[in-house]
Amino acid sequence: MSGSAAMFLLAMLVICGCETGNRADIESILNPGMLPYLKASKLIQVSSSDTTGGNEDYIRVLPGKTATIFNVSGPGIITRIWFTIDSRDPYFLRRVVIRMFWDREKSPSVEVPFGDFFGTGFAYKQYATPYLSMSSGGYTCFFPMPFEESARIDIVNETGKEIPALYYQVDYQKLDGYIPRDVAYFHAFWRRDVRTDYDSNYTILDIKGRGHVVGLNLNVQSYRKNFAFLEGDEKIFVDGETKPSIQGTGTEDYFSSGWYFNKGEYAGPYNGLILKDTSLGRIAAYRFHILDPIPFKKSIRFSIEHGHGNQEIADYSSTVYWYQIEPHQPFPPLPKAGLRIPLRTVVPNGILEAEKLSFNLGRIPSVKEDMSDWGAEWGGLKQLRVETEKNDSFSLVLNNMSESQYDIRIYFTRGPDYGNTAVYYQNKKIGEIAGFNPSIIPAGPLVLPPLQNQASSIRLSFRVTGKDTLSKGYATGLDALEVIPKRSYIPDWYIIGPFPNPLGSGGARLGIDSAFDPEVSVDLTAPAEGFNRKLVTWKYVKTPENGYFDLTRYFRPYEMAVGYAVTYLFSESDQEIPLWVGSDDGIKVFFNNRMVYRFLGVRIAEPDQKEILLEVKPGWNKLMLKVENNLGGFAFYARLIDKNKSLVVSAEQKRQIYRKK
């Protein structure tokens, strides 16, 4: 036998001997059913106890420093981790990071903001599960974490302030034997999308390797302060499959709730709601896959819709927990500490970023300032910082204003060297920015009274009037302006419905392209055959002042249904008039019996989702909307931009004509 063959045989004998003779009995340690059985291990605790015998059972962590609180040799298995943190930073839950390394790896297997790791990323909130909990400021984890060669846990202080007291205990079983090869290592990963204004799903996890997912906590803050995002379905693709092996039915369903997910807070062993804050539009929930782990052999891609059809714009963040055979792919870098802070004010879409506007500053210096160290709220992560002094003034002219009246909201910055800046319109003070705060924070909105359009423009003047006695200066920090037209909606309609909206092959809704009686001819005095062949008649209804025309108030049933709305426009001449519509769900627009717009999809109705140019003829013109609904809301918005006030828009006059007939 050659020397190399003998060495190979010897190596195989060693490996085989290890597999049969010195294998750690992890199941005996972790399985509650084997609690009476003797354990082939030793429990060791590494803690922050005062080794001098005093009562200072904590460590201090300086700003920007990393504290290695656990660094031991294996084989072993961590069975309990406990922390209490005393921090003066109000956002320490996101600005302190926990990292874990196994077997001297260079890339951490766990890298998560401290609060999110324990399920409390938004706020200091008590809850309890068998695996993660927070009780009276004590954060506990019972996920078992095996390691063969070594284990290290780091705490990274990115708060910008000293952590004066960090208490901890890490319990682990020192094993007599080696870790079996089919035992995977614990991993956790955090990610965040501050603004889900895109069409694809929010990605929770997308990795290669072999293992199984065991849990998730999800934090969502809606930009509309509602819970429409609960309609989003999870999709999980395993091992490169093109169709998901798990296709959910709704966010609340994934967390094992139902209709009343957002009605109260609850906690169970494997799923629960940690936080529901209606005022901020926040929900935090967890789901553990303990009895239903999600195995993968090559890869896994775990995503979830942000609202049905990804319509919801929200701040999504998630921590996913899984076990995987090493090595693992390195994680993307965590966002900087400032960009992990929960949103304190929500700046809507469609804003005008101040640093991109043409302010008339004269000789006052200004800078486009990066605000990413202070939070994610600032549009484009920048602001316009104007280095004003007392009594300085500057102005802004908003041009190309097409509406007669606007509501304007100003988002600004408060900080230790900011002053008070009054806002004027036509020489009248209409609001004031109070700029001082001990630390830099996003603020607003400052809501201005309705402003009249003057020659297609609005001019705002800003004047520094003083400062707080504690402020170090008079600076003005401007983030963005939200400019909202004072909308006037089409005042009245005839409506008729419901008509059926059946499902076709592949889930297509057939009602939108089925020509029911109102599309053939409109006779406001004649009934039509509607849902389930019942006769339906035209109803005259006035539009609510807010423009939200809720068809669920008038139609039964209103799900999987279609309805029509008709009104009339009188003009003295040929002209082109913009029509703005929004719908829940699909919509067709007919003008003078010709279809001019079609949208088929699932969405929540909002004003001005689509502009359509109408070719208006002299005399009476007929405008008809056909709105179709899937499930839930059934509504529309509709308004005309009549700059010259040349139209008569009235279904009432037509009603009188029909009455005379």
Side-chain angles (χ1 to χ4, degrees), residues 110 335 370 454 485 566 609 646:
V110 173
D370 184 349
Q454 300 288 327
V566 173
Q609 288 173 319
S646 60

Side-chain angles (χ1 to χ4, degrees), residues 64-179:
K65 298 300 183 179
T66 297
T68 298
I69 61 144
F70 185 79
N71 193 4
V72 302
S73 298
I77 181 167
I78 296 172
T79 53
R80 174 181 174 266
I81 300 173
W82 168 88
F83 286 98
T84 285
I85 292 184
D86 177 15
S87 175
R88 302 298 184 266
D89 176 24
Y91 312 114
F92 79 91
L93 292 172
R94 284 271 170 92
R95 294 206 279 205
V96 175
V97 176
I98 184 168
R99 292 179 181 149
M100 300 183 190
F101 301 80
W102 315 125
D103 295 354
R104 299 181 178 87
E105 64 185 352
K106 294 182 179 180
S107 175
S109 291
V110 173
E111 187 174 35
V112 181
F114 181 88
D116 290 86
F117 180 83
F118 292 97
T120 58
F122 271 143
Y124 182 94
K125 188 70 179 179
Q126 296 191 114
Y127 79 110
T129 80
Y131 295 92
L132 295 169
S133 64
M134 198 286 275
S135 177
S136 186
Y139 298 85
T140 312
C141 172
F142 284 100
F143 276 119
M145 303 176 188
F147 56 94
E148 176 65 34
E149 296 181 28
S150 65
R152 187 176 105 225
I153 300 176
D154 290 347
I155 300 297
V156 186
N157 178 10
E158 296 181 340
T159 65
K161 302 178 180 181
E162 181 188 41
I163 297 175
L166 171 66
Y167 299 80
Y168 62 88
Q169 298 174 1
V170 182
D171 298 347
Y172 77 103
Q173 296 282 354
K174 180 71 173 177
L175 302 175
D176 290 345
Y178 68 91
I179 301 292

